Amino acid sequence: MISLGTSNAVILPIVRSPGTAMERKNSRFSFARETPRTNPYKWATVLDSGGSVRTVFVDFQKAFDRVDNNIVLHKLLQRDVPHFMIKWMFSCLEGRQQRVKVNDGFSNWTQLVGGMPQDSWLRPLIFLLVIDDLQLDCLVHKFVDVTTLSELLDNGDHASNMTQYVESLSTWAQTNKMIINRSKSKEMILGSLAKQSILFLTVQSDVIERVTTFKLLGVTLTNDLSWEAHVNSICAKVAPRLYYLTQLRRAGLSSDELSYFYLMVFRPVLKYGCAVWHHGLTVAQSQKLESLQKRALRIIHQIAYGMPYESECANAWVQFLSVRRHELGKRFFFARLRNQTVVYMTFFPNDETHIIFRLRRHRLSYTMDQN
């Protein structure tokens, strides 16, 4: 354990350096390279052109608890972080001990040389510092301890190099004293490559399971990029909440209190991550979600039985779920558009005047027809 003395210091805000969006993306200080929300976008782009995608969802075993303090110090020094800030950070990490209690007995105290304090802002920040230099020759999406490797193959190209990428990942993990959880790491193949005979990936002689469905950050992805599995997952989560809502109604709660419970506990499940999946829903899937809100409103407002769904929403002062999801998607898009510092800006195509003019002319014609 490398010990650094503490000193009084003024903690200064870290200001993002100027430059273009691409320059900031390639900056050595860009901890989060790309958020996993961009996964479906890039996958769909390749699949639409007839290509294939081979992806691996990587899980690190007890990732935060295995962060080595000496590795953290080495990476801080590599980034030319001011010395006083390193002293301040390690004053929070050094001298930490733990022991185990079983019934009335205690073990001896053990000095910790790694791991991050629970409920600390330093916990995710330091882990981002550790994982930032994980760079492979394939597309890597990192969101704190969630890492996804994606290999994009052109139409007709079935020569996959994912085995080499996984080996490079294993080497990085060993160097940084991380352990890949082979039982929780999964592989998924999208496109025509799934019909080919592809060897399974292995990590230290353990085979990585190949799946057709995977839940990434709470959003269920499938190898055909449909959202039926995700909608079914939402329905399964909502069913117990409908029961709780019924029990609260029987307990005598007022409609206002039940509405508050619905908005705070029930509805967030129905729209979580909707910026990713809303525009890919079929009409039947959208109606399936609307039916859940319809059932909830009829529990809250018993007088609503027999009323049209539009009237029920107006009576409860709530929007259709489809309208709400659409608004949240627009808000998310324009928030990213206004923020020139995020890596999403590199995904937008260049302005093409003839396309914009054609869209505007189509909208103008549509408006005139309505009038």
Side-chain angles (χ1 to χ4, degrees):
M1 173 67 183
I2 299 176
S3 176
L4 293 173
T6 59
S7 63
N8 295 328
V10 178
I11 307 303
L12 302 175
I14 300 176
V15 181
R16 186 182 293 272
S17 58
T20 65
M22 182 61 71
E23 291 170 346
R24 282 189 291 267
K25 176 185 175 183
N26 295 329
S27 170
R28 58 188 290 192
F29 294 100
S30 57
F31 290 120
R33 295 293 178 187
E34 290 175 328
T35 170
R37 284 196 182 209
T38 62
N39 279 6
Y41 169 78
K42 291 201 170 185
W43 294 349
T45 302
V46 174
L47 295 176
D48 287 344
S49 62
S52 301
V53 179
R54 191 178 188 184
T55 183
V56 179
F57 305 101
V58 182
D59 180 82
F60 292 105
Q61 184 177 347
K62 297 185 180 297
F64 290 100
D65 296 333
R66 294 187 178 276
V67 174
D68 187 272
N69 292 344
N70 289 283
I71 294 177
V72 173
L73 175 61
H74 178 69
K75 295 190 177 186
L76 286 172
L77 294 174
Q78 281 185 327
R79 292 178 176 275
D80 298 327
V81 176
H83 197 65
F84 76 86
M85 190 172 292
I86 298 177
K87 289 183 176 181
W88 167 77
M89 183 174 294
F90 270 81
S91 68
C92 298
L93 299 178
E94 66 177 351
R96 297 172 57 238
Q97 297 179 322
Q98 73 174 18
R99 64 177 179 175
V100 179
K101 177 184 177 183
V102 179
N103 296 328
D104 295 331
F106 292 88
S107 67
N108 296 327
W109 286 102
T110 300
Q111 189 78 16
L112 298 180
V113 295
M116 297 293 104
Q118 293 283 348
D119 301 325
S120 169
W121 285 98
L122 285 179
R123 184 178 173 91
L125 179 63
I126 292 179
F127 186 82
L128 289 175
L129 171 70
V130 172
I131 204 173
D132 187 54
D133 61 357
L134 173 56
Q135 299 181 21
L136 307 175
D137 292 332
C138 65
L139 191 64
V140 181
H141 294 84
K142 292 175 283 188
F143 187 84
V144 195
D145 61 335
V146 178
T147 303
T148 306
L149 313 183
S150 298
E151 182 183 19
L152 310 180
L153 301 173
D154 297 330
N155 186 11
D157 184 7
H158 296 152
S160 174
N161 297 315
M162 184 57 76
T163 301
Q164 290 82 353
Y165 304 147
V166 172
E167 290 176 354
S168 299
L169 174 68
S170 300
T171 302
W172 178 91
Q174 293 176 2
T175 304
N176 291 270
K177 299 184 179 180
M178 292 286 177
I179 298 178
I180 299 176
N181 193 332
R182 277 93 70 181
S183 62
K184 291 186 178 181
S185 298
K186 307 296 180 182
E187 177 194 6
M188 182 186 292
I189 300 179
L190 301 84
S192 59
L193 185 65
K195 302 177 182 178
Q196 305 296 321
S197 179
I198 304 296
L199 294 177
F200 285 89
L201 300 172
T202 59
V203 176
Q204 297 179 358
S205 302
D206 290 336
V207 176
I208 297 179
E209 182 184 1
R210 188 173 294 170
V211 297
T212 58
T213 303
F214 186 82
K215 181 172 288 188
L216 179 63
L217 296 177
V219 177
T220 303
L221 303 175
T222 60
N223 62 346
D224 59 356
L225 289 187
S226 67
W227 299 108
E228 184 66 27
H230 183 63
V231 171
N232 292 336
S233 175
I234 293 176
C235 295
K237 287 183 180 179
V238 166
R241 290 170 170 80
L242 283 171
Y243 172 75
Y244 298 149
L245 198 61
T246 303
Q247 294 300 103
L248 291 174
R249 183 74 193 186
R250 292 174 178 173
L253 269 68
S254 65
S255 296
D256 291 339
E257 293 171 328
L258 294 174
S259 298
Y260 183 81
F261 176 84
Y262 169 74
L263 294 175
M264 295 297 105
V265 178
F266 195 111
R267 196 166 181 178
V269 179
L270 297 173
K271 61 184 182 181
Y272 172 77
C274 62
V276 177
W277 49 267
H278 165 62
H279 295 284
L281 293 181
T282 64
V283 174
Q285 292 167 352
S286 181
Q287 291 176 348
K288 191 173 184 179
L289 295 177
E290 294 287 355
S291 67
L292 296 174
Q293 176 168 269
K294 184 176 182 179
R295 290 171 60 187
L297 294 181
R298 289 184 173 178
I299 295 173
I300 297 172
H301 306 281
Q302 294 183 347
I303 60 172
Y305 278 100
M307 293 176 60
Y309 180 51
E310 296 82 355
S311 302
E312 293 179 11
C313 292
N315 181 63
W317 292 88
V318 296
Q319 296 173 306
F320 282 14
L321 289 176
S322 58
V323 175
R324 180 59 177 166
R325 292 194 305 266
H326 181 73
E327 290 184 355
L328 292 175
K330 287 176 58 178
R331 186 185 306 175
F332 173 80
F333 175 80
F334 287 113
R336 303 286 79 76
L337 194 64
R338 287 191 296 268
N339 187 357
Q340 299 290 325
T341 64
V342 297
V343 298
Y344 285 94
M345 296 305 300
T346 64
F347 302 144
F348 297 141
N350 297 326
D351 292 339
E352 298 188 28
T353 307
H354 67 283
I355 295 179
I356 297 175
F357 175 74
R358 190 167 59 200
L359 291 173
R360 289 176 176 172
R361 184 175 58 184
H362 174 73
R363 183 174 181 180
L364 178 61
S365 175
Y366 176 74
T367 305
M368 293 178 62
D369 293 340
Q370 282 188 326
N371 295 335

